[in-house]
Amino acid sequence: MDTSVSVPPCDACDVVTVPTRQGLEAVDIIRRGAGEGVGSVLHDDGCDTLGFLVPPGTAAAWDVPGSTCTETDGRGLSIVPEPEPPVEGSDWLLPPGEADLATDPAVLRAALGEAARLIRAADSCR
């Protein structure tokens, strides 16, 4: 059974928001993995959260604890090479043009799960 998802152009990407620590771990996990790459990622100015651009429609089935997925319908989200951040008070961690446009939701889900396990293990060693 093929469960892979084709990542389409992201004219109306959804955004998965996670705590920064878990998000940075997930970025590293995805970058170290074989195959799918990480898409464009936003961070807020307070460095509290990261936002992963994912294909439109992801929000309808997103159920990863500790994260939220927001449907944008393209409202205010313009993804072109070297864009200004689409949300005031944010900036690009991985801007379009330096990353895949959107992260495959299945790849992100797996990476966030692994990141959460790594963080729990690290915190339990203190």
Side-chain angles (χ1 to χ4, degrees):
M1 172 193 250
D2 182 12
T3 59
S4 63
V5 175
S6 174
V7 179
C10 230
D11 295 330
C13 288
D14 291 350
V15 179
V16 172
T17 305
V18 298
T20 298
R21 184 175 178 200
Q22 183 180 14
L24 291 173
E25 286 289 343
V27 167
D28 287 344
I29 290 164
I30 295 169
R31 284 186 152 181
R32 286 192 312 255
E36 298 294 324
V38 66
S40 300
V41 179
L42 289 161
H43 68 82
D44 65 350
D45 282 344
C47 295
D48 295 326
T49 61
L50 291 184
F52 291 82
L53 298 187
V54 293
T58 300
W62 191 258
D63 61 352
V64 177
S67 68
T68 59
C69 188
T70 306
E71 183 179 353
T72 67
D73 289 330
R75 294 179 299 249
L77 188 63
S78 176
I79 307 301
V80 294
E82 299 190 34
E84 290 296 314
V87 178
E88 189 172 325
S90 68
D91 203 355
W92 293 107
L93 176 68
L94 296 172
E98 291 183 24
D100 293 344
L101 196 48
T103 301
D104 181 316
V107 171
L108 181 57
R109 182 184 311 271
L112 290 172
E114 184 176 341
R117 289 186 295 277
L118 287 169
I119 291 168
R120 274 194 305 274
D123 289 350
S124 70
C125 292
R126 292 181 185 186

